[in-house]
Amino acid sequence: MEVIAQIVLQNLNSFAQEEFGIIWNLKDDVQQMKRTVSAIKAVLLDAEAKTNNLQISNWLEELKDVLYDADDLLNDMSSEALERKVRGGSILLRRVQIFFSQANQIVYSYKLGHKMKAIQKRLDAIAKNKNTLQLTELPMETPITCREQRQTYSFVREDDVIGREEEKKLLKSYLLDTKVSVIDNVSVVPVVGFGGLGKTALAQLVFNDNAVQRYFEPKMWVCVSDEFDIRKIAEKMIGNDKNSEIEQVQQDLRNKVRGKRFLLVLDDVWNEDRELWFKFKSLVVEGGNGSAIIVTTRSRTVGKIMATHPPLFLKGLDLERSWKLFSRVAFDGGKEPNDWELLAMGRNIVQKCAGIPLAIRTIGSLLYSRNLGRSDWLYFSEVEFSNIDQHREKIFAILKLSYDHLPSFLKKCFAYCSLFPKDFVFDKKTLIQLWVAEGFIQPSRDNRCEEDVGHEYFMNLLSKSLFQNVTSNDYGDIVTCKMHDLIHDLAQLVVGKEYAFVEGKKENIGNKTRYLSSCTSLHFSKKTSSSSSKLRTVTLLGQTLYGSQNLGQPLLHFPFLSSIKRVRVLTLCGLHIITLPNSIRELKQLRYLDLSKNKFLVSLPPDVTRLLNLQTLKLSQCGKLKELPSGINKSLRHLELNDCGKLTCMPCGLGKLTNLQTLTHFLLDCKSKNGDISELSGLNNLRGKLVIKWLDSLRENAAVVESAKTLLEKQLLQELELRWWLDVKNSFGDDPIQERFEMEEESRWFSENEKILLEDENMLASRNEMKKDEKILQGLQPHHSIKKLVIDGYCGKSLPDWIGNLSSLLNLEIRNCNGLKSLPDGIRYLVSLQRICIYNCPLLERRCARRYGEEWSKIAHIPKVVVSPFSPSALRYIN
């Protein structure tokens, strides 16, 4: 709620300073709304802490709805102003257009004023009710402290902890290792994982182990929970509840541990303040050699700050151990009944618990206490299990702690993940783009771009164990992640009515719904048009998740576009779209448009260029797409064109998109011999991967390219692929098997006629082309921070010396360079280079032969060297 209120205030502040109030005579209305929203925002923390009160809960829902409407209206104002600003033509023409258009200034001002007053009236009523509800102002920095504090203790029966034998063994080895050497005599071992995994139970198990009990003295257990209060922790350690002065407390603690090999468990730690941890640790560093601290936490950041050993990341139990635990709590005496149908139902229930010990214990104990029969188990398994929130209060009370500790802006980002089905693989970059489009990213004080702030948000959620199963690229950057089923349930629990994930034939959209996702067909009828008009996200998942649809049964019916004019995120993946209607121009708030995997999409309507707020356009795997409209708006930040095989050139005006961060492919005009790469010159915010294709078309301008140094200032690029004409036929879908055969024949020809080949280089490429390609490549020098470089189809004899200056280069690939004879000398000094691959470069292949080749000494230091007579596409079939 705080996030929405803050966004509205930011927009109001912006409008108060701009021309809106003057042009539309709404200055007083803007100021009045600003005062009202500020007054309401001041009591939000108090209201959100009292949501158990039904009246206050309803008040918050009503407030949320009007704030969304206010934000939509302010965005309409912003879009209208932007559209007027970019209109072309003479001053007189613009005056005529404005006067006669539907957006006539007087008429628009009247309508806008009416809408502003209607929203103000609703806000006034809400502001009045806040006094009736006796809500008080609290500073936004104050944490919500109304929930019951969690308490833990050190004892647990060993028989009660099942399936953690390996983890116990590992944790004990850390504690009892007499050879380990750590600073200040004290080892710190974090146990990290989300709520319900059994971190506390594992710590209890190790704490009470006989060998551990004999090895350490004294042994102390402190449940820290919310606040890392050094004084309170120290008092618990020394057993002092007399509320003594801090000076006396710290002295008593130091005396208690001085020279003694102590064991301390700090359970449920949330503190991410590194300095606060150091202050506490300074009180116990006088402990004897071999002293240890076990820390249980949900936060990877906490683990990183406090650890002297690698953190122990706790995972869910496997199916076998989950069943063992379930049997213990669900069946009499822990013995399985002689009923295979009942056991099958039990295993189905266990599988749904996803390895979470707390969930397994809670559900198993519930079934045991009810003394249910087979028919009851079947009903529970198939019906009631999916709707047992009243029985899972204990699970979610623990899991929700992670959510409650999040700042409001992260709560919004977390809630957004509820739009996707369980087991969904989140692409980190895409998720951040969605957050940016929805306005969830707060302005950065250090002028970082929103995507960088979004990355920080993502890492924060990951550190709280709200994401898992991350995958990384070769450079250590996270690419994808998943969300645990129970965490996904938590996300759906906290979102309320504003988010909806539609499955099956359910198509009802509530009038509070703002974010909608579906894997089925959606029909926006007149009955639902009033509800859909408030939607900010419409995501149709299509074949992205659920496989190919029949052409005769499209998931999309285009008339719905006219009913979602306030949508900001529109995802239409894999829906067999052939073309988009011109009505797309009506989506003036649209910031994110994903049309990927529409393999029959041929073109985009010119009116796409009228989407003045569009930030992200995804067209990957649109195999029949032939062209992009010229004049794409300058607001665009991300343009994805992977696997668009029919696309032959870039739109005019691309060089003006100076905010562009993602450009997967830059296609030179393959039909022209006078290609122009200057459009890339000003795009210095590009990051990630860039593929430049059909560099042959630059040969007539090779000297200009050589001097331009178009790529040198692009510091954020990680991967660069430079492709010449050879790639054209492959991009249009040649048969890889046929290519393999041709390559095999060509390879045999080379080996039999090597002398002829070396004597007659004109068989491979003309000397003129070689010289021009060498100039082109010389001019395409990237920034030294590039991590991967691919050169494909190049006709030069040698590579430029600048390759030896790529100090961050990890991966170098050279493909299909038939005339290439040597590598630059500087390559031997690239100590960061981990991999070099040389594919189908017949002259270079022999010279790079291991140990005996003339070029081998230049690459001998590289950990992985691959030299093959085949192209990578042919190798896929051979292997």
Side-chain angles (χ1 to χ4, degrees):
M1 187 75 74
E2 180 194 345
V3 174
I4 310 170
Q6 186 61 40
I7 290 172
V8 171
L9 283 174
Q10 286 170 1
N11 288 335
L12 288 169
N13 283 331
S14 174
F15 294 162
Q17 296 168 13
E18 299 291 339
E19 59 184 23
F20 298 96
I22 298 170
I23 290 179
W24 294 323
N25 299 315
L26 297 173
K27 192 170 184 178
D28 292 340
D29 297 288
V30 168
Q31 291 294 343
Q32 183 182 358
M33 187 177 292
K34 181 180 169 184
R35 287 192 295 270
T36 308
V37 174
S38 296
I40 293 171
K41 181 174 178 282
V43 302
L44 280 181
L45 265 183
D46 188 38
E48 289 179 336
K50 299 174 180 176
T51 50
N52 289 335
N53 182 311
L54 183 59
Q55 284 183 303
I56 293 177
S57 179
N58 290 336
W59 180 86
L60 284 170
E61 283 297 319
E62 189 178 351
L63 172 62
K64 185 187 295 183
D65 200 46
V66 70
L67 286 176
Y68 272 128
D69 288 344
D71 187 38
D72 286 335
L73 178 60
L74 294 173
N75 274 282
D76 285 343
M77 291 168 60
S78 178
S79 295
E80 178 66 23
L82 183 60
E83 190 168 350
R84 294 183 182 201
K85 188 176 181 180
V86 301
R87 277 188 184 134
S90 67
I91 295 175
L92 178 61
L93 178 60
R94 278 189 289 170
R95 285 177 180 173
V96 173
Q97 287 175 334
I98 291 171
F99 183 81
F100 287 105
S101 70
Q102 193 174 11
N104 179 285
Q105 185 170 326
I106 298 172
V107 176
Y108 189 82
S109 179
Y110 175 79
K111 290 181 178 179
L112 200 62
H114 180 74
K115 291 178 181 179
M116 287 280 284
K117 285 177 172 55
I119 289 176
Q120 183 62 51
K121 185 177 180 180
R122 292 163 65 191
L123 284 170
D124 288 340
I126 290 170
K128 183 179 179 180
N129 286 339
K130 80 177 173 65
N131 299 324
T132 305
L133 296 171
Q134 298 181 330
L135 297 174
T136 57
E137 295 185 10
L138 292 175
M140 282 301 171
E141 290 76 19
T142 304
I144 300 172
T145 57
C146 65
R147 70 170 177 272
E148 183 181 350
Q149 293 290 307
R150 182 176 180 229
Q151 296 295 327
T152 64
Y153 45 84
S154 63
F155 178 72
V156 67
R157 290 178 62 242
E158 187 165 359
D159 289 346
D160 287 340
V161 182
I162 293 175
R164 294 300 186 194
E165 294 80 9
E166 291 300 318
E167 291 87 347
K168 176 187 175 183
K169 184 178 178 181
L170 181 59
L171 192 51
K172 275 181 63 179
S173 71
Y174 287 158
L175 299 182
L176 305 180
D177 187 355
T178 58
K179 298 178 181 178
V180 70
S181 176
V182 295
I183 300 174
D184 300 328
N185 296 333
V186 181
S187 299
V188 183
V189 186
V191 180
V192 182
F194 61 81
L197 275 178
K199 300 182 296 295
T200 298
L202 177 61
Q204 290 169 328
L205 194 62
V206 172
F207 187 90
N208 290 284
D209 182 83
N210 290 333
V212 172
Q213 287 282 317
R214 290 192 300 268
Y215 190 73
F216 295 100
E217 185 60 40
K219 298 170 286 293
M220 298 159 283
W221 181 287
V222 177
C223 180
V224 179
S225 200
D226 286 347
E227 188 179 8
F228 198 86
D229 188 316
I230 293 177
R231 176 175 171 170
K232 289 181 180 178
I233 294 171
E235 285 177 342
K236 291 178 181 179
M237 290 174 67
I238 61 179
N240 179 1
D241 57 359
K242 298 177 183 177
N243 202 25
S244 305
E245 293 294 327
I246 183 63
E247 179 61 28
Q248 184 62 50
V249 172
Q250 66 91 15
Q251 188 64 50
D252 291 345
L253 175 58
R254 291 168 61 201
N255 290 337
K256 179 171 183 176
V257 302
R258 186 179 290 119
K260 298 175 183 176
R261 188 164 57 202
F262 70 86
L263 173 64
L264 169 64
V265 175
L266 295 175
D267 188 36
D268 199 23
V269 177
W270 295 84
N271 168 60
E272 295 184 353
D273 185 335
R274 195 163 178 252
E275 291 304 315
L276 197 59
W277 163 245
F278 285 153
K279 286 180 182 178
F280 171 77
K281 192 176 179 183
S282 68
L283 301 181
V284 297
V285 294
E286 296 177 64
N289 187 36
S291 296
I293 301 175
I294 299 174
V295 176
T296 70
T297 179
R298 303 181 190 205
S299 170
R300 291 171 180 250
T301 304
V302 170
K304 184 178 179 180
I305 288 172
M306 303 174 77
T308 62
H309 282 74
L312 175 57
F313 294 104
L314 216 55
K315 298 180 180 180
L317 301 177
D318 61 30
L319 201 54
E320 182 180 347
R321 292 188 290 177
S322 296
W323 177 252
K324 186 176 180 182
L325 176 59
F326 180 80
S327 299
R328 174 72 60 86
V329 294
F331 303 131
D332 275 326
K335 296 180 180 180
E336 297 180 8
N338 189 22
D339 186 331
W340 67 269
E341 288 187 9
L342 194 66
L343 293 177
M345 285 183 276
R347 290 189 179 277
N348 181 45
I349 291 172
V350 167
Q351 198 163 18
K352 291 179 180 179
C353 288
I356 309 300
L358 179 64
I360 296 167
R361 285 183 177 278
T362 303
I363 302 303
S365 299
L366 173 67
L367 290 167
Y368 179 80
S369 66
R370 284 183 167 189
N371 194 25
L372 302 175
R374 183 192 300 173
S375 59
D376 300 305
W377 273 57
L378 180 60
Y379 179 80
F380 185 90
S381 174
E382 295 183 352
V383 180
E384 194 172 350
F385 188 87
S386 61
N387 186 28
I388 57 167
D389 289 343
Q390 66 271 28
H391 304 310
R392 291 196 284 181
E393 288 180 1
K394 188 184 296 183
I395 301 169
F396 282 116
I398 291 176
L399 291 178
K400 195 170 179 290
L401 285 173
S402 295
Y403 176 79
D404 290 340
H405 275 81
L406 296 175
S408 55
F409 54 88
L410 282 185
K411 287 179 179 177
K412 199 76 176 170
C413 294
F414 172 72
Y416 199 80
C417 298
S418 68
L419 286 175
F420 302 90
K422 288 184 178 180
D423 208 36
F424 185 80
V425 178
F426 292 96
D427 178 83
K428 187 196 80 170
K429 183 178 176 181
T430 297
L431 192 58
I432 292 171
Q433 290 168 354
L434 290 168
W435 292 341
V436 171
E438 293 291 358
F440 296 162
I441 308 298
Q442 293 190 323
S444 169
R445 294 178 182 176
D446 54 5
N447 294 321
R448 285 181 297 161
C449 71
E450 291 177 294
E451 285 79 2
D452 287 342
V453 179
H455 168 75
E456 183 182 311
Y457 286 11
F458 177 89
M459 297 306 293
N460 205 321
L461 291 172
L462 176 64
S463 76
K464 300 292 190 300
S465 301
L466 296 173
F467 291 128
Q468 64 176 28
N469 295 349
V470 298
T471 64
S472 301
N473 60 20
D474 293 338
Y475 325 121
D477 300 324
I478 292 174
V479 178
T480 67
C481 68
K482 285 187 176 183
M483 182 174 276
H484 192 282
D485 284 357
L486 279 180
I487 299 298
H488 185 274
D489 288 343
L490 173 65
Q492 292 190 319
L493 182 73
V494 301
V495 294
K497 300 175 182 177
E498 60 190 295
Y499 288 82
F501 177 63
V502 179
E503 294 183 276
K505 296 185 178 180
K506 180 184 176 183
E507 295 180 3
N508 295 328
I509 303 170
N511 57 10
K512 303 287 186 184
T513 303
R514 304 278 176 167
Y515 307 98
L516 175 68
S517 178
S518 176
C519 59
T520 186
S521 177
L522 282 179
H523 300 269
F524 290 84
S525 61
K526 292 181 180 179
K527 185 178 179 181
T528 60
S529 61
S530 59
S531 301
S532 60
S533 66
K534 294 185 176 183
L535 288 172
R536 295 178 165 216
T537 289
V538 175
T539 296
L540 301 183
L541 298 173
Q543 71 178 28
T544 306
L545 288 173
Y546 296 95
S548 180
Q549 306 291 327
N550 292 327
L551 283 174
Q553 299 176 338
L555 290 182
L556 181 65
H557 299 271
F558 276 126
F560 90 108
L561 288 177
S562 61
S563 67
I564 56 169
K565 293 182 180 180
R566 289 176 173 170
V567 73
R568 301 181 180 198
V569 170
L570 184 59
T571 300
L572 307 172
C573 292
L575 304 180
H576 304 295
I577 296 171
I578 297 174
T579 186
L580 285 175
N582 287 327
S583 58
I584 190 79
R585 65 176 178 266
E586 298 178 20
L587 308 183
K588 295 183 180 181
Q589 303 301 327
L590 192 63
R591 290 156 169 78
Y592 179 102
L593 178 59
D594 187 353
L595 298 169
S596 56
K597 299 187 178 180
N598 284 293
K599 58 185 179 180
F600 300 107
L601 183 66
V602 176
S603 63
L604 298 179
D607 284 344
V608 166
T609 62
R610 295 181 62 178
L611 301 174
L612 302 183
N613 289 301
L614 190 64
Q615 299 169 349
T616 300
L617 179 58
K618 294 176 180 278
L619 297 166
S620 293
Q621 298 183 47
C622 293
K624 293 188 181 296
L625 185 67
K626 293 182 178 180
E627 61 179 354
L628 298 174
S630 298
I632 295 176
N633 195 266
K634 294 180 182 179
S635 61
L636 199 67
R637 300 183 191 180
H638 308 281
L639 178 58
E640 298 184 8
L641 301 168
N642 294 307
D643 300 318
C644 294
K646 296 291 185 182
L647 198 62
T648 57
C649 62
M650 304 309 292
C652 293
L654 188 73
K656 297 178 181 179
L657 307 184
T658 53
N659 292 319
L660 207 60
Q661 297 177 25
T662 303
L663 179 61
T664 59
H665 288 69
F666 183 85
L667 310 178
L668 293 154
D669 191 344
C670 64
K671 298 176 183 178
S672 170
K673 293 185 179 181
N674 293 287
D676 184 9
I677 202 170
S678 62
E679 291 267 38
L680 283 175
S681 298
L683 307 184
N684 290 332
N685 289 315
L686 291 180
R687 55 179 66 190
K689 180 178 178 179
L690 171 63
V691 178
I692 304 176
K693 297 174 69 171
W694 305 323
L695 287 164
D696 322 59
S697 65
L698 297 177
R699 284 175 179 157
E700 295 304 316
N701 299 313
V704 176
V705 175
E706 181 181 24
S707 60
K709 303 293 183 187
T710 305
L711 306 177
L712 195 55
E713 299 301 318
K714 295 168 178 41
Q715 303 180 26
L716 300 176
L717 273 182
Q718 286 188 313
E719 298 186 24
L720 177 64
E721 290 195 20
L722 303 174
R723 299 185 186 176
W724 271 256
W725 191 264
L726 181 66
D727 190 52
V728 172
K729 62 178 182 181
N730 293 341
S731 70
F732 285 92
D734 268 13
D735 183 3
I737 299 296
Q738 177 65 24
E739 182 191 23
R740 171 193 163 186
F741 173 77
E742 292 172 359
M743 291 299 169
E744 286 176 342
E745 290 298 310
E746 191 174 37
S747 176
R748 278 196 290 271
W749 186 91
F750 281 136
S751 63
E752 294 169 1
N753 299 276
E754 190 174 23
K755 290 182 180 179
I756 299 174
L757 183 66
L758 291 172
E759 292 171 358
D760 190 7
E761 292 168 359
N762 288 329
M763 292 179 64
L764 298 173
S766 72
R767 187 175 302 276
N768 192 32
E769 286 182 345
M770 287 181 179
K771 293 293 183 183
K772 289 180 177 180
D773 278 8
E774 286 171 0
K775 286 184 178 182
I776 291 170
L777 190 55
Q778 182 66 41
L780 295 180
Q781 177 181 355
H783 191 268
H784 63 77
S785 61
I786 202 80
K787 292 182 169 64
K788 181 177 180 178
L789 176 64
V790 177
I791 300 171
D792 193 347
Y794 169 68
C795 289
K797 290 182 181 180
S798 60
L799 297 176
D801 291 337
W802 55 250
I803 289 180
N805 299 326
L806 303 180
S807 55
S808 299
L809 193 65
L810 299 173
N811 194 336
L812 175 62
E813 285 192 21
I814 305 167
R815 310 171 184 164
N816 307 311
C817 299
N818 293 340
L820 189 60
K821 292 181 178 181
S822 65
L823 299 171
D825 286 337
I827 204 168
R828 66 174 80 244
Y829 305 115
L830 294 181
V831 294
S832 64
L833 192 56
Q834 298 297 305
R835 176 186 172 99
I836 182 170
C837 300
I838 300 170
Y839 299 114
N840 189 29
C841 300
L843 300 181
L844 192 59
E845 180 185 339
R846 180 184 62 80
R847 297 174 64 87
C848 287
R850 192 174 298 270
R851 288 189 292 276
Y852 304 113
E854 297 95 317
E855 301 290 307
W856 174 251
S857 62
K858 297 178 183 179
I859 59 175
H861 67 288
I862 302 173
K864 185 164 185 178
V865 177
V866 177
V867 180
S868 170
F870 300 101
S871 66
S873 57
L875 277 174
R876 287 200 302 269
Y877 291 88
I878 295 170
N879 293 334

